[in-house]
Structures are given as structure tokens and as C-alpha cells.
Amino acid sequence: MINEILCLSAIMFGEARGESDVGKVAVAYTAINRKADPNYPKTICQVMKQPAKYQFLDYGMPTQTQIAYLEPLAKAILEKRIDDPTRGAKWYHTRQVKPIWAKQKDIKIALGNHIFY
């Protein structure tokens, strides 16, 4: 579970560090929801490492020092002490972009700077 905590913390840091805790949790749950889908890899770390899924990896993996403050939140999410605010979303993007793929999906919720599908 330690690797999963680190990977989930990295996702929150890389993709949602400027968001509220709810926004961070929402982004984290997209990885968890992908992991639960048979069309995706079976671990959060494998989900995170899929090509072209998490842009923060284009700039390198954050250090453990950078993500340490997110580890308790990641652990709480993985232990299911925090519910999924996205209603099962597997995809998201920021409000500043309008990706072509989003036209084919139904919006589940918008939280902070992200729209979830």
C-alpha cells in the first residue's frame, strides 16, 4: 500500500496541488476509478504511468519531500475514509482547455478548476 500512497500523493501534487482538499481528492479518485475498471491497469502506480494520462510526469516525478504532506490524505482515500466526490469519474481536465474527447462524455461534476467525466 505504501507505493499506492506515494503514487496517489504524486498524482494529487502533480495535477491538483493548487486545489482544495476536495479538488485533490477528486483528482485522486479518477485514478482509483480507473484502477477499478477492467480496461485499465490494476494498480494506481500503473494507472499513473500510462502514456499521456498525467501531464505532470512530463516534467518528472515529484520528490517524496514535495508530496509528503499529501500522504495522510492519500492514505485516508485508499482506506475509503473519504468518499468519491466525482461520482465515479475516470477523466477530467481543467476549465482552461476543451479537449476533443470531452464532447463524447457526460459531465459528472465540476470542482474547483477541474471538470470530471
Side-chain angles (χ1 to χ4, degrees):
M1 185 190 226
I2 290 175
N3 285 340
E4 298 288 271
I5 291 169
L6 294 176
C7 290
L8 203 58
S9 298
I11 290 168
M12 290 189 288
F13 179 84
E15 299 285 310
R17 69 178 162 269
E19 296 290 326
S20 67
D21 281 354
V22 173
K24 289 178 182 77
V25 169
V27 167
Y29 260 104
T30 63
I32 292 168
N33 294 336
R34 288 176 186 178
K35 175 185 151 187
D37 184 316
N39 296 311
Y40 286 90
K42 296 299 168 213
T43 72
I44 291 169
C45 294
Q46 290 171 338
V47 167
M48 179 186 74
K49 293 175 184 174
Q50 282 189 288
K53 297 297 180 195
Y54 293 98
Q55 287 185 337
F56 77 93
L57 290 174
D58 295 345
Y59 307 101
M61 184 76 169
T63 66
Q64 190 157 0
T65 301
Q66 289 174 306
I67 64 172
Y69 75 99
L70 293 166
E71 291 174 20
L73 184 59
K75 186 173 188 229
I77 294 166
L78 290 169
E79 291 174 347
K80 303 210 184 294
R81 291 186 280 130
I82 300 173
D83 291 331
D84 180 359
T86 72
R87 303 179 190 134
K90 291 184 218 136
W91 307 278
Y92 67 95
H93 62 79
T94 65
R95 293 177 187 266
Q96 289 80 15
V97 299
K98 297 191 185 312
I100 292 172
W101 59 261
K103 293 177 184 176
Q104 303 165 359
K105 311 261 184 235
D106 294 324
I107 294 174
K108 292 187 180 270
I109 195 166
L111 293 168
N113 192 39
H114 292 98
I115 301 170
F116 297 86
Y117 301 84

